[in-house]
Amino acid sequence: MQAKKRYFILLSAGSCLALLFYFGGLQFRASRSHSRREEHSGRNGLHHPSPDHFWPRFPDALRPFVPWDQLENEDSSVHISPRQKRDANSSIYKGKKCRMESCFDFTLCKKNGFKVYVYPQQKGEKIAESYQNILAAIEGSRFYTSDPSQACLFVLSLDTLDRDQLSPQYVHNLRSKVQSLHLWNNGRNHLIFNLYSGTWPDYTEDVGFDIGQAMLAKASISTENFRPNFDVSIPLFSKDHPRTGGERGFLKFNTIPPLRKYMLVFKGKRYLTGIGSDTRNALYHVHNGEDVVLLTTCKHGKDWQKHKDSRCDRDNTEYEKYDYREMLHNATFCLVPRGRRLGSFRFLEALQAACVPVMLSNGWELPFSEVINWNQAAVIGDERLLLQIPSTIRSIHQDKILALRQQTQFLWEAYFSSVEKIVLTTLEIIQDRIFKHISRNSLIWNKHPGGLFVLPQYSSYLGDFPYYYANLGLKPPSKFTAVIHAVTPLVSQSQPVLKLVVAAAKSQYCAQIIVLWNCDKPLPAKHRWPATAVPVIVIEGESKVMSSRFLPYDNIVTDAVLSLDEDTVLSTTEVDFAFTVWQSFPERIVGYPARSHFWDNSKERWGYTSKWTNDYSMVLTGAAIYHKYYHYLYTHYLPASLKNMVDQLANCEDILMNFLVSAVTKLPPIKVTQKKQYKETMMGQTSRASRWADPDHFAQRQSCMNTFASWFGYMPLIHSQMRLDPVLFKDQVSILRKKYRDIERL
């Protein structure tokens, strides 16, 4: 028994010694192998960090190092992956962890507000037309400043739009040119616009220079490289995209079901090889030549015939049979597959045509995705499920299709129809990030009139705007403030302005009356004004210019404003009726004196007429009701150049207000009936200038029309033939049964 125990102990000890020698040898060999690798790495200029101690990696002497915090998950014994190599070598990844909190200086904005500075153009530097349009949009905006010390955001004058090295628009030596800018500061508080990046064959998203801590406003950006709440994804637009204005969408009839010839269409290039070729090469599987028409052509590039496959000739023949514009405007859904890059011109074309985009571009960060809910306007498909697309869209209910198409029109007109709107949307998104406490919510961005016309500096409460009463379940305001514009001295107690004060004050809806004294003479004594049941406040206009009548005075305590010229003749009944009409249309101008515009073919310009016709497009603010928010928009949205023109002419302020409101609402004003024909009475000869007696007055208004249309980029005024009359107006019934009796009486 003792012998067996000794034998077992010896055997166990021997086994332990064998294991010790075995593992010790492995460790010894591993350490020698590791030493040899380190020696080899040293001879080749490489150093692989151990897992316990990370050091920057220097691929070679010419390439920048990768910061240690990007290597924290690497294993020293594993070779770097292609993606890691791309990250290390591509300048776009250096600030990959940038966010507003870490790479943006908020103090510049808090000091002077959100102001944007554009670098002066350097001599000899060529700028493509598209980039000139971007810079012009910034310089024409209310955000622009020519003083860099006042700026919160900086934009390069160097053309960064096309960073494809094979493009004739490619700017060489951009790296050194950017670094030499004295305000560059490693890109901090800079915004870089880019449409194209990378080149054949891989089309990477590298813009070809170190952007440092700058933000990117970039087309075709992937979700992988997009830095949330820092970069801005913008749409790919062509060099022919309008700088301002732009055409309206093509949805003309809200019919259910939407009667269109095709269910799904596409027409574009087919890439035979390389990136972006898979999806377009497979489209022929879905094409049926009837209601699903997906056409591709191999005819592009100089040597396409060298690479053509067996389907090219048949595809090219089929491609020529169809007109793209006809297909676009007669289809319910439009396929938007990726090209060489993730974005495509087809995206904006589909939006404008009221053709619901069917997105087939996996990994694309859709334009303005931070604020736009694309599920309300597009179908987000998956390239891997191409064959399921037809059955998917056929299952969408007709009501939903109409809603999708209507939303395409809103988004197109609000954010995409011009370069200016694309640029302003980008700037507004950045401004919302900076001033989060007053940033716009999703409802504002995704519902008419959109984020560009709803300025959060006015109010953070949706109920203070005229567009959201229904959404909030609110009733329009029940009171108004009458604002009377006075320019002639008060010399007689029988002057029209005093009668107007009395008539407005008697209205059951009147909360107060403000007399804006724009006369050169001193303010009249308080006892000169008639005694009324509501307060009468007399204030002097700032600088006594025409635009001062539309300043957002704090004295205006109601949302509704009844704007009146001093010589207006209105009865209390007419005031009451106009206000009740406005309560049903709180976003529009509602009033009495109507005017119209027309296109003069002989002079090739817009014309203005005061003749009484069957339609109108303006309601003058000499006797009109509107929401006071338009005072704020007039003052803060419109450029100083237009307001200065109005002030110099002492004319056209009413036309400009109509342009503004129609541009916001996309609707005409509303004319209401009145007791007698509205006539602009001649003002007294003692006035500083009787504008109605001035022979140049009408010519000035013609000129104003064209100047305003030029700034807006299109004619926003819309003709209407609607006039609202009181119920039972002029019916042969007892006058006692009528609510607005005085309107019928002479």
Side-chain angles (χ1 to χ4, degrees):
M1 178 64 80
Q2 293 298 328
K4 286 183 179 180
K5 285 183 179 180
R6 286 196 296 271
Y7 178 75
F8 180 75
I9 291 171
L10 286 173
L11 183 61
S12 300
S15 300
C16 290
L17 285 173
L19 288 171
L20 285 173
F21 277 115
Y22 177 74
F23 285 111
L26 278 181
Q27 187 175 10
F28 177 70
R29 284 194 300 273
S31 63
R32 289 186 60 188
S33 175
H34 181 67
S35 299
R36 284 196 297 270
R37 281 202 303 272
E38 285 185 337
E39 291 172 8
H40 179 73
S41 300
R43 288 193 295 268
N44 288 279
L46 296 171
H47 177 69
H48 291 266
S50 68
D52 300 323
H53 193 71
F54 294 103
W55 290 94
R57 183 199 308 277
F58 297 87
D60 59 46
L62 298 178
R63 294 177 180 174
F65 71 89
V66 179
W68 63 270
D69 60 347
Q70 294 185 17
L71 302 175
E72 56 195 14
N73 293 322
E74 290 186 16
D75 189 291
S76 61
S77 62
V78 180
H79 293 291
I80 58 175
S81 67
R83 177 180 173 183
Q84 289 169 321
K85 288 180 180 178
R86 185 173 73 247
D87 290 4
N89 300 334
S90 176
S91 59
I92 197 173
Y93 289 88
K94 287 194 176 177
K96 192 169 184 180
K97 295 191 176 182
C98 266
R99 297 296 183 268
M100 295 295 289
E101 294 76 15
S102 59
C103 295
F104 192 90
D105 185 358
F106 289 85
T107 58
L108 297 176
C109 306
K110 293 178 180 178
K111 181 180 178 182
N112 303 309
F114 186 65
K115 297 293 182 183
V116 184
Y117 174 77
V118 177
Y119 284 85
Q121 187 173 350
Q122 300 178 10
K123 291 184 178 180
E125 289 292 341
K126 294 183 179 179
I127 300 180
E129 183 179 357
S130 293
Y131 198 60
Q132 287 178 345
N133 290 341
I134 287 177
L135 298 184
I138 297 173
E139 291 170 353
S141 73
R142 67 183 187 280
F143 302 120
Y144 176 70
T145 178
S146 57
D147 182 359
S149 66
Q150 298 290 314
C152 166
L153 189 68
F154 300 83
V155 176
L156 305 178
S157 63
L158 298 165
D159 191 344
T160 57
L161 278 193
D162 194 340
R163 302 303 298 153
D164 186 337
Q165 296 178 16
L166 300 179
S167 170
Q169 307 293 340
Y170 182 80
V171 177
H172 295 274
N173 303 319
L174 195 56
R175 186 194 307 261
S176 59
K177 293 175 182 177
V178 169
Q179 295 295 335
S180 66
L181 298 173
H182 69 285
L183 297 172
W184 176 241
N185 191 25
N186 193 32
R188 200 169 182 85
N189 286 53
H190 280 67
L191 176 65
I192 295 172
F193 287 89
N194 176 255
L195 294 182
Y196 306 97
S197 63
T199 188
W200 172 266
D202 50 6
Y203 295 96
T204 66
E205 295 178 34
D206 181 11
V207 295
F209 68 98
D210 183 5
I211 66 171
Q213 297 179 342
M215 292 179 284
L216 274 175
K218 180 171 173 50
S220 304
I221 191 169
S222 65
T223 53
E224 180 184 2
N225 294 325
F226 180 76
R227 295 169 294 182
N229 297 312
F230 192 71
D231 292 332
V232 180
S233 177
I234 63 174
L236 182 65
F237 58 88
S238 70
K239 59 182 178 60
D240 300 321
H241 204 57
R243 185 177 73 83
T244 60
E247 294 183 11
R248 295 195 67 175
F250 297 141
L251 179 61
K252 304 300 182 186
F253 306 103
N254 290 323
T255 54
I256 297 178
L259 302 175
R260 288 196 162 189
K261 182 177 180 180
Y262 304 107
M263 174 60 70
L264 178 67
V265 300
F266 171 75
K267 190 175 183 183
K269 298 176 182 177
R270 178 157 73 87
Y271 305 108
L272 300 174
T273 59
I275 190 169
S277 61
D278 294 345
T279 301
R280 295 196 181 191
N281 277 335
L283 293 184
Y284 78 98
H285 290 296
V286 183
H287 169 80
N288 63 19
E290 296 175 0
D291 64 340
V292 177
V293 180
L294 308 179
L295 307 169
T296 58
T297 180
C298 304
K299 276 188 182 179
H300 56 89
K302 297 178 180 178
D303 54 353
W304 69 271
Q305 290 184 327
K306 294 181 181 179
H307 305 287
K308 73 175 186 178
D309 58 20
S310 58
R311 280 193 8 249
C312 275
D313 291 335
R314 184 171 67 253
D315 286 354
N316 292 343
T317 302
E318 189 80 357
Y319 187 88
E320 300 295 335
K321 291 180 181 179
Y322 293 83
D323 178 78
Y324 175 62
R325 304 293 295 181
E326 187 271 337
M327 289 172 55
L328 195 64
H329 296 166
N330 288 281
T332 303
F333 294 92
C334 286
L335 199 67
V336 184
R338 65 163 296 156
R340 291 300 195 193
R341 299 175 178 89
L342 292 171
S344 167
F345 291 131
R346 299 292 178 268
F347 180 68
L348 289 187
E349 292 167 352
L351 278 185
Q352 183 182 13
C355 187
V356 181
V358 179
M359 312 305 301
L360 278 186
S361 185
N362 290 11
W364 181 23
E365 189 72 27
L366 294 181
F368 305 137
S369 55
E370 185 175 332
V371 296
I372 293 178
N373 181 0
W374 283 108
N375 290 322
Q376 295 179 1
V379 176
I380 315 298
D382 190 321
E383 293 179 78
R384 297 165 296 181
L385 304 175
L386 170 64
L387 299 181
Q388 296 181 16
I389 293 296
S391 59
T392 299
I393 60 176
R394 290 184 199 280
S395 68
I396 300 177
H397 194 273
Q398 300 289 357
D399 293 351
K400 176 65 174 176
I401 292 175
L402 178 59
L404 290 168
R405 294 180 64 200
Q406 289 173 331
Q407 191 69 358
T408 64
Q409 301 303 272
F410 160 66
L411 294 176
W412 163 258
E413 293 179 14
Y415 308 120
F416 298 106
S417 61
S418 67
V419 175
E420 181 184 53
K421 288 181 180 176
I422 293 171
V423 171
L424 290 179
T425 304
T426 301
L427 297 181
E428 293 281 10
I429 289 173
I430 295 172
Q431 183 183 217
D432 272 6
R433 296 173 183 166
I434 297 168
F435 304 104
K436 288 184 178 180
H437 60 291
I438 56 169
S439 61
R440 282 154 280 221
N441 60 26
S442 180
L443 176 65
I444 292 175
W445 283 107
N446 291 278
K447 193 170 181 62
H448 182 79
L452 299 189
F453 286 122
V454 178
L455 306 185
Q457 294 81 4
Y458 174 74
S459 175
S460 58
Y461 173 53
L462 292 183
D464 288 336
F465 297 91
Y467 318 108
Y468 308 112
Y469 292 137
N471 294 91
L472 300 175
L474 299 176
K475 291 183 178 180
S478 59
K479 296 286 185 178
F480 67 80
T481 296
V483 179
I484 302 175
H485 186 230
V487 295
T488 56
L490 196 61
V491 296
S492 169
Q493 292 302 112
S494 62
Q495 282 182 233
V497 65
L498 299 180
K499 296 179 181 178
L500 189 59
V501 169
V502 173
K506 287 182 179 179
S507 171
Q508 59 181 312
Y509 306 111
C510 184
Q512 62 178 350
I513 295 175
I514 295 176
V515 178
L516 179 61
W517 192 254
N518 262 358
C519 179
D520 293 331
K521 302 294 182 179
L523 286 172
K526 288 185 178 181
H527 71 270
R528 301 288 302 277
W529 299 100
T532 59
V534 298
V536 177
I537 305 169
V538 183
I539 59 177
E540 285 201 81
E542 292 187 17
S543 305
K544 292 186 167 45
V545 294
M546 294 302 293
S547 291
S548 65
R549 72 182 299 177
F550 295 138
L551 286 172
Y553 294 104
D554 292 336
N555 305 77
I556 303 176
V557 295
T558 62
D559 284 345
V561 173
L562 170 61
S563 177
L564 298 166
D565 284 344
E566 63 178 3
D567 54 350
T568 299
V569 179
L570 280 182
S571 67
T572 303
T573 300
E574 289 170 310
V575 171
D576 284 349
F577 176 60
F579 182 70
T580 57
V581 171
W582 177 85
Q583 287 180 306
S584 297
F585 306 94
E587 75 281 8
R588 303 205 218 179
I589 296 177
V590 175
Y592 289 99
R595 297 291 183 268
S596 187
H597 76 285
F598 64 95
W599 178 254
D600 190 335
N601 283 316
S602 61
K603 298 180 180 179
E604 294 189 345
R605 61 193 301 237
W606 293 106
Y608 170 89
T609 179
S610 58
K611 294 180 180 179
W612 285 56
T613 59
N614 288 330
D615 60 11
Y616 62 92
S617 57
M618 291 171 276
V619 167
L620 303 187
T621 54
I625 301 177
Y626 50 80
H627 197 283
K628 74 173 181 179
Y629 175 60
Y630 292 121
H631 279 194
Y632 188 88
L633 268 188
Y634 186 99
T635 303
H636 296 285
Y637 178 82
L638 294 175
S641 59
L642 296 188
K643 290 178 287 189
N644 290 339
M645 176 184 179
V646 164
D647 295 338
Q648 289 170 5
L649 296 175
N651 194 358
C652 303
E653 82 289 350
D654 47 359
I655 298 177
L656 183 53
M657 179 60 88
N658 273 270
F659 267 70
L660 174 63
V661 177
S662 290
V664 174
T665 62
K666 305 295 188 294
L667 295 168
I670 292 178
K671 175 175 172 51
V672 290
T673 191
Q674 61 205 89
K675 180 174 64 176
K676 55 181 78 70
Q677 179 173 323
Y678 178 89
K679 294 180 179 179
E680 297 88 352
T681 57
M682 299 293 289
M683 292 189 293
Q685 296 302 312
T686 56
S687 65
R688 56 179 175 172
S690 182
R691 58 175 181 160
W692 301 113
D694 185 355
D696 293 331
H697 175 79
F698 193 77
Q700 289 173 351
R701 292 172 82 79
Q702 298 270 15
S703 178
C704 288
M705 294 278 295
N706 290 277
T707 302
F708 299 162
S710 176
W711 184 82
F712 279 92
Y714 70 110
M715 171 51 73
L717 298 179
I718 301 169
H719 283 101
S720 175
Q721 295 179 341
M722 182 173 72
R723 187 187 77 175
L724 296 185
D725 291 353
V727 177
L728 302 180
F729 177 59
K730 288 190 176 180
D731 280 6
Q732 298 303 316
V733 297
S734 170
I735 193 70
L736 298 176
R737 291 177 57 186
K738 300 185 178 182
K739 185 175 181 180
Y740 303 100
R741 304 167 191 170
D742 293 340
I743 290 182
E744 184 172 339
R745 294 172 179 167
L746 293 177

